[in-house]
Amino acid sequence: MTLAFLAVIMIGTLLLMLPMARAGGSNAPLMVAFFTSVSAVCVTGMVTVDTGTYWSTFGQATIMGLFQLGGFGMMTAATLLGLMVNRSPGLRTRLLTQTETRSLALGDVRSVAKVVLAMTLLCQCIIALALMLRLRLGHGLDWREAAWSGLFHAVSAFNNAGFSIHADSLMRYAGDAFILLPILMGFILGGIGFPVLHDLRQRLNDPRHWSLHTKLTLVGTLVLLLGGFCAVLLFEWDNAGTLGPMGVGEKLLNSFFISAAARTSGFNTIDIAALTQETWALHYLLMFIGGGSASTAGGVKVATVAVLFLLVLAEAKGHSDTEAFGRRVGASAQRQAITVLVIASVLVVLGTLALLRMTDFPTDRIIFEVIAAFSTAGLSTGITAQLPVAGQLVLLLLMFFGRVGTITLATSLVMGERRMPYRFPEEHPIVG
């Protein structure tokens, strides 16, 4: 999977360096093409040039193809790897896994990919149609321009890519619910994760039999969306640079959009640099957590944080088992969650230290940039293009590890798990 992503990135870089990919007809510099390709394949949305004016229609189509492959490839690969790591050589294990997870059984690779592809294209077509009609009828764009803009933003939204052909992202549509709501639904659906969507498709009217993963992801997503919404309203209500001049309806709409977009979509309807320090800190948390597992979103994932929360809650209550919704969370899942969180935190800290060493930007802006890159949120306070080449390379590494590394890590942890023929004597070091 890692080599496949690298191959697509290299192909994308070469295509973006062609004269026909740039609006002026000249070759794009290697670093610009490489950064854009990595950002697109890793569905991050960070850019060093304006997508709408710097790239030609061919270049924009190439970028859209890259983040479509990145999002679809990641969903498919993550789902298939999730099936592969069940380690089910026997019928008994297969039946137990199917009963406990209520997920897909190990089957034909092509059939799984077809289901993912069908759901992806269906959602994107509905969103693109809604956007096209609104842009044509509500904003006066001609049919061709409206269709292209609708398609580009629909694909970008569902893949949580955050790319826009507008220099101000979606700020020009901050008061248009008919534009923001379809895009909002696109990146929420894409960020929930294919296993959850599949579970809901199978048992939408039977929540009692949803898998534990589905319940944790949905509850966690709801808590993050509503909590972020209330916090943004509180922190930005009177901010003259963001929500202050808006009416009550627009404040509610944009607060919810900001809360949802912070969790890896990469779109913004207000100037990120104008947000208060408290909202920046909120973004640190929301971006770091990200979306659902096996989705187009990044971050350490909602289920990971949910498992850790349940673990802490069980420890505080003095319970030996970590439980939720009448199910016990496996010990291996708890260890994996801790490992993913620790490694992600180490990468963020190392990336922050590296950029602080290379630049003179304030620490809060550096932290925002690093977390946005690692979580593939793609949001920026406006310093991405001003970073030196070495700093941009740090962001590229964070994007790649954040997009591919966490799933690869989780898979390797499960596939590498084995029972030892012996156990060492137990001892309890002092903790806390």
Side-chain angles (χ1 to χ4, degrees):
M1 185 179 70
T2 304
L3 292 176
F5 268 73
L6 287 173
V8 174
I9 288 172
M10 293 299 105
I11 294 173
T13 302
L14 294 176
L15 289 175
L16 291 176
M17 290 183 66
L18 296 175
M20 68 176 71
R22 189 172 175 180
S26 58
N27 298 78
L30 173 61
M31 190 59 193
V32 172
F34 183 54
F35 191 96
T36 305
S37 180
V38 173
S39 182
V41 175
C42 295
V43 290
T44 304
M46 280 186 165
V47 293
T48 57
V49 294
D50 177 36
T51 305
T53 58
Y54 189 88
W55 303 107
S56 65
T57 303
F58 173 80
Q60 294 173 19
T62 299
I63 293 172
M64 185 177 71
L66 291 175
F67 58 65
Q68 179 76 299
L69 283 174
F72 171 71
M74 177 57 67
M75 290 179 70
T76 306
T79 301
L80 295 177
L81 288 173
L83 300 177
M84 290 167 57
V85 299
N86 285 334
R87 298 179 295 112
S88 49
L91 178 61
R92 179 175 177 273
T93 306
R94 288 173 182 264
L95 293 175
L96 284 174
T97 302
Q98 196 172 26
T99 302
E100 290 299 319
T101 64
R102 291 181 174 82
S103 186
L104 295 169
L106 250 163
D108 186 7
V109 171
R110 289 182 299 178
S111 65
V112 176
K114 287 179 181 179
V115 174
V116 179
L117 178 62
M119 297 182 70
T120 299
L121 295 182
L122 177 62
C123 292
Q124 291 177 358
C125 288
I126 293 175
I127 297 168
L129 179 61
L131 293 178
M132 180 187 69
L133 293 176
R134 180 57 181 171
L135 291 171
R136 168 58 183 164
L137 302 177
H139 294 272
L141 275 65
D142 59 66
W143 283 111
R144 181 179 178 182
E145 187 178 0
W148 173 244
S149 180
L151 178 63
F152 189 94
H153 288 98
V155 177
S156 181
F158 186 81
N159 287 296
N160 278 251
F163 277 88
S164 174
I165 56 178
H166 306 310
D168 60 356
S169 188
L170 300 178
M171 291 175 63
R172 65 185 63 187
Y173 304 123
D176 193 340
F178 294 100
I179 294 290
L180 298 187
L181 290 179
I183 293 177
L184 179 68
M185 293 307 301
F187 59 71
I188 288 179
L189 288 175
I192 287 180
F194 175 69
V196 175
L197 293 177
H198 176 77
D199 201 10
L200 294 178
R201 187 172 68 94
Q202 298 279 51
R203 309 174 183 85
L204 181 61
N205 298 322
D206 190 15
R208 290 182 55 193
H209 293 91
W210 291 349
S211 68
L212 178 59
H213 171 75
T214 296
K215 292 177 181 178
L216 291 178
T217 301
L218 291 179
V219 172
T221 299
L222 184 62
V223 169
L224 292 174
L225 286 175
L226 295 180
F229 166 70
C230 295
V232 172
L233 270 182
L234 175 65
F235 298 146
E236 301 295 329
W237 185 271
D238 295 322
N239 186 348
T242 56
L243 300 184
M246 298 180 180
V248 175
E250 290 186 14
K251 286 183 178 181
L252 295 176
L253 173 64
N254 284 270
S255 294
F256 191 77
F257 191 94
I258 294 169
S259 173
R263 298 174 50 245
T264 84
S265 87
F267 289 111
N268 63 284
T269 56
I270 60 175
D271 184 8
I272 298 297
L275 294 171
T276 62
Q277 295 288 332
E278 295 87 350
T279 308
W280 276 9
L282 175 68
H283 273 68
Y284 299 161
L285 175 64
L286 295 178
M287 292 190 299
F288 187 76
I289 295 175
S293 302
S295 73
T296 59
V300 296
K301 302 298 186 299
V302 174
T304 301
V305 176
V307 169
L308 291 173
F309 174 78
L310 293 173
L311 175 60
V312 172
L313 190 63
E315 186 64 26
K317 292 181 177 180
H319 295 173
S320 58
D321 292 331
T322 302
E323 302 168 339
F325 301 106
R327 291 291 185 270
R328 185 177 69 253
V329 180
S332 61
Q334 299 174 44
R335 294 196 303 271
Q336 292 159 25
I338 294 173
T339 305
V340 169
L341 181 70
V342 170
I343 293 181
S345 302
V346 169
L347 289 174
V348 168
V349 170
L350 292 178
T352 302
L353 293 175
L355 288 185
L356 286 174
R357 180 71 175 175
M358 298 174 187
T359 69
D360 296 324
F361 290 110
T363 303
D364 52 2
R365 288 178 178 259
I366 293 295
I367 294 176
F368 194 103
E369 207 81 4
V370 167
I371 298 179
F374 173 77
S375 65
T376 70
L379 296 172
S380 175
T381 59
I383 67 173
T384 306
Q386 304 175 44
L387 293 174
V389 173
Q392 292 178 5
L393 288 175
V394 171
L395 293 184
L396 292 179
L397 289 174
L398 288 170
M399 290 182 209
F400 190 79
F401 288 140
R403 194 66 185 134
V404 180
T406 51
I407 292 180
T408 304
L409 169 65
T411 304
S412 63
L413 287 173
V414 180
M415 295 185 73
E417 186 180 5
R418 62 187 185 276
R419 292 187 178 276
M420 301 298 292
Y422 57 86
R423 299 178 71 184
F424 289 106
E426 183 177 308
E427 193 169 335
H428 297 277
I430 299 175
V431 177

